[in-house]
């Protein structure tokens, strides 16, 4: 694995969390700044959901097999788009919950 592969895998894992944190900030009526901790939490939840789905539907049981699957370009694009969609959904759900708790507290 060379540096470009490492960089690509890093972006595939980090970018959905950042987009999900942006969705969380917008829905929760915070500023449009992205909290790093929120992004990492959404990233971790997205990665766990994606690994569970890949294990159930595609038979990916190890990280080595997941890296092997990333050699296929169509799999990489589908994985990236689905993980961004899941991260946005998690961000919106988290933002709505935060707004509800803020509204109930007042």
């Amino acid at each position: 694995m060379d540096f470009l592969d490492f960089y690509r895998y890093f972006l595939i894992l980090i970018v959905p969390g950042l987009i999900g944190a942006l969705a969380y900030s917008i829905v929760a009526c915070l500023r449009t700044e992205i909290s790093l901790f929120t992004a990492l939490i959404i990233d971790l939840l997205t990665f766990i959901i994606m690994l569970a789905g890949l294990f159930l539907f595609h038979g990916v049981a190890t990280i080595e097999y997941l890296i092997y699957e990333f050699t296929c370009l169509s799999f990489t694009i589908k994985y990236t788009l689905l993980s961004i969609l899941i991260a946005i959904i998690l961000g919106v759900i988290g933002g709505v919950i935060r707004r509800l708790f803020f509204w109930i507290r007042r």
Side-chain angles (χ1 to χ4, degrees):
M1 182 165 70
D2 58 347
F3 179 73
L4 289 177
D5 286 338
F6 176 74
Y7 184 69
R8 181 176 56 153
Y9 301 145
F10 180 74
L11 286 179
I12 288 173
L13 294 175
I14 295 298
V15 169
L18 294 173
I19 294 172
L22 180 64
Y24 169 80
S25 295
I26 290 171
V27 172
C29 289
L30 300 173
R31 298 183 191 136
T32 55
E33 62 188 27
I34 299 173
S35 171
L36 180 64
F37 297 115
T38 306
L40 290 176
I41 289 170
I42 292 174
D43 229 0
L44 179 65
L45 291 174
T46 303
F47 186 66
I48 290 171
I49 291 170
M50 289 298 289
L51 282 181
L54 285 172
F55 178 72
L56 291 175
F57 298 117
H58 206 274
V60 176
T62 62
I63 298 296
E64 289 84 17
Y65 189 62
L66 179 65
I67 291 173
Y68 171 74
E69 289 290 329
F70 276 134
T71 59
C72 178
L73 187 59
S74 67
F75 176 80
T76 305
I77 292 171
K78 290 175 188 175
Y79 180 90
T80 305
L81 292 176
L82 188 60
S83 64
I84 288 173
L85 180 69
I86 290 172
I88 289 172
I89 291 171
L90 288 174
V92 168
I93 289 172
V96 167
I97 290 172
R98 185 178 189 281
R99 289 284 292 182
L100 286 175
F101 283 143
F102 183 73
W103 182 69
I104 290 172
R105 203 169 85 179
R106 284 190 163 214

